[in-house]
Amino acid sequence: MRRYADTPSRPAKVTAFKVSFTVNGQPHDLELDPRTTLLDALRERLRLTGTKKGCDHGQCGACTVLLDGRRINSCLTLAAMHPGAAITTVEGLGQPDNLHPMQAAFVKHDGYQCGYCTPDQICSAVSVLEEIEAGIPSHVTADLNARPQLTGAELRERMSGNICRCGAYSNIVDAITEVAGSKA
């Protein structure tokens, strides 16, 4: 009788999957292993290395990108799940000679420190302001029937999925509130 451990291993044959999406305004047609995460497609195939691989489990937020205008952890989704999607990475928000207002505010308020988490913090912050503007409540929104307010508690809750090991949180809140045009 053969035991499982004695069975010769054979790699499973994986058929490549074609997926097309727009990244930072540019159309891309990729042929990928269907198990490829969106993060790996962005970093390894498209060479967009602003998006970082941190924990690879969706706990640190280093892989945050905007997918059809909403922030997601790109390590937790497969590229094949998003045909036709519009994806924005930090590279698509602005360039060194033409920074997005959030990027400029992060520089001004020293919200970047070591820089590892900066791309995800910026993408998430852009989305946070859009969520508040759209009236989407968070866990700390006091009145679910009223528009969420731009408060420090609201910003900290919404940004809590993006970890900064340097502890630049107060500077990040200052940058976000500057872009929002108010004081949290």
Side-chain angles (χ1 to χ4, degrees):
M1 172 183 231
R2 292 186 82 166
R3 296 178 190 261
Y4 181 74
D6 298 333
T7 305
S9 62
R10 293 184 191 136
K13 184 176 179 180
V14 177
T15 305
F17 185 86
K18 293 181 182 180
V19 64
S20 298
F21 39 63
T22 302
V23 180
N24 300 332
Q26 300 295 318
H28 292 277
D29 298 314
L30 300 175
E31 195 167 307
L32 303 168
D33 179 314
R35 300 167 293 186
T36 304
T37 65
L38 180 57
L39 172 62
D40 288 335
L42 294 170
R43 288 186 58 81
E44 306 301 325
R45 295 296 302 277
L46 299 180
R47 302 290 184 226
L48 295 168
T49 57
T51 304
K52 302 295 190 263
K53 184 177 275 198
C55 67
D56 215 18
H57 295 287
Q59 297 173 350
C60 72
C63 63
T64 302
V65 298
L66 305 177
L67 179 91
D68 293 330
R70 302 215 42 184
R71 60 188 166 147
I72 65 160
N73 290 337
S74 62
C75 75
L76 293 181
T77 188
L78 301 175
M81 295 170 63
H82 304 289
I87 300 158
T88 304
T89 67
V90 72
E91 294 94 341
L93 289 176
Q95 296 297 314
D97 59 339
N98 186 24
L99 295 176
H100 182 281
M102 192 65 74
Q103 291 169 315
F106 266 65
V107 171
K108 177 180 176 184
H109 292 280
D110 196 24
Y112 55 88
Q113 306 246 339
C114 82
Y116 191 83
C117 74
T118 305
D120 70 89
Q121 295 278 356
I122 291 172
C123 284
S124 197
V126 167
S127 186
V128 160
L129 293 182
E130 291 173 2
E131 291 168 8
I132 292 171
E133 179 66 28
I136 299 170
S138 78
H139 179 70
V140 299
T141 303
D143 183 355
L144 297 180
N145 294 315
R147 270 194 118 50
Q149 299 300 305
L150 187 74
T151 64
E154 193 73 50
L155 291 177
R156 284 188 294 278
E157 169 62 25
R158 290 172 188 267
M159 294 294 291
S160 66
N162 298 85
I163 297 172
C164 172
R165 288 171 179 85
C166 296
Y169 295 116
S170 62
N171 302 356
I172 291 168
V173 169
D174 291 345
I176 296 169
T177 56
E178 179 180 304
V179 173
S182 66
K183 184 83 172 146

